[in-house]
Amino acid sequence: MTESKVRIGPSILSADFLRLGEQIAEAEAAGVDFVHVDVMDGRFVPNISIGLPVLEAVRRATKLPVDVHLMIVEPERYAERFAAAGADFVTVHVEVCGHLHRTLQGIAAAGAVPSVTLNPATPLTTIEEVLPLVRQVLVMSVNPGFGGQTFIPSALDRIARLREMIDARNPTCLLEVDGGVKAGNIRRVVDAGADTIVAGSAIYSPDASVKRSVAALRGALS
Ligand code: DX5
Ligand code: ZN
């Protein structure tokens, strides 16, 4: 993957929610490619974050693609509503999708890009059958639920194996990685086969401006 083609998006989970519009504008000005919205229900993951009203506000705040990551049980109950509320991508977890094929079809029919993700302990084979149906697979490189966690090293091998599966079965499918990606490891993540990177605490950090943080991630790839 050529560095210039790598897509980078901030997870707004680490943003200052009191200044969410500004924080999205700062990321946009810094040249990010999409905005990642983490929806947590306190059941699938041990944390509660944000939902449809905030997504609607994010939708009004940016023209960039909005990438919604649903960390909720029974995602089929809400996936199409998130698409209707302005999500360009809707990602569901294979671990909580009894009818994954139907749910992904519903997302596409609602006008969003169907995307699937798996936790670090979930075998890649669980998404093999739906690979032709999705336009993005998200590899979790932390256990979902919180920003600011440490990248799990075994994710690199999973990214490499998924890259082979995607190249063989659906070569235009995006391979996104989420969790613990920083300037210090983004190169390895991309070299393993990722083309789309989510970064939360690395972009919305108290130590540097959003502009500098995005530049540091890009710089690590050049
Ligand atoms: C974790 C979320 C991630 C998280 C990324 O459950 O899905 O999107 O916010 O944050 P960092 O980059 O800080 O790990
Ligand atoms: Zn996420």
Side-chain angles (χ1 to χ4, degrees):
M1 171 68 39
T2 11
E3 302 75 37
S4 59
K5 293 224 184 97
V6 174
R7 301 165 72 249
I8 297 178
S11 161
I12 60 165
L13 189 64
S14 292
D16 177 353
F17 285 168
L18 279 180
R19 300 193 300 115
L20 188 53
E22 282 167 53
Q23 293 254 276
I24 290 171
E26 284 165 26
E28 200 163 341
V32 301
D33 302 286
F34 63 96
V35 175
H36 184 82
V37 175
D38 286 308
V39 178
M40 303 176 180
D41 66 353
R43 294 189 62 208
F44 178 58
V45 292
N47 198 8
I48 299 175
S49 60
I50 54 178
L52 283 160
V54 176
L55 169 65
E56 285 164 5
V58 170
R59 177 69 289 165
R60 288 194 299 274
T62 183
K63 290 196 164 46
L64 289 176
V66 177
D67 180 43
V68 171
H69 177 190
L70 292 180
M71 285 161 277
I72 63 176
V73 297
E74 301 180 288
E76 65 279 2
R77 290 178 61 195
Y78 292 98
E80 292 171 33
R81 283 177 68 187
F82 277 91
D88 296 285
F89 291 69
V90 176
T91 301
V92 294
H93 271 266
V94 61
E95 297 86 1
V96 277
C97 255
H99 290 280
L100 181 59
H101 191 281
R102 180 188 288 154
T103 302
L104 292 168
Q105 277 185 325
I107 292 168
V113 173
S115 167
V116 67
T117 185
L118 356 67
N119 287 336
T122 304
L124 292 177
T125 49
T126 56
I127 57 140
E128 205 169 350
E129 303 304 326
V130 296
L131 255 191
L133 211 74
V134 294
R135 279 163 50 203
Q136 176 173 275
V137 178
L138 165 58
V139 174
M140 288 309 299
S141 41
V142 296
N143 287 298
F146 303 93
Q149 302 184 82
T150 303
F151 185 90
I152 297 172
S154 56
L156 288 174
D157 183 57
R158 286 164 63 76
I159 296 163
R161 281 184 284 130
L162 179 63
R163 168 50 61 200
E164 285 181 16
M165 286 167 66
I166 285 178
D167 286 350
R169 304 203 47 181
N170 184 0
T172 59
C173 179
L174 298 171
L175 197 172
E176 181 176 52
V177 174
D178 182 12
V181 180
K182 313 268 180 204
N185 61 9
I186 189 170
R187 173 87 260 171
R188 269 172 285 152
V189 172
V190 167
D191 284 348
D195 50 46
T196 303
I197 301 292
V198 176
S201 50
I203 288 182
Y204 294 119
S205 136
D207 305 328
S209 69
V210 170
K211 189 177 176 190
R212 281 179 81 108
S213 300
V214 172
L217 290 168
R218 293 258 184 238
L221 291 175
S222 59

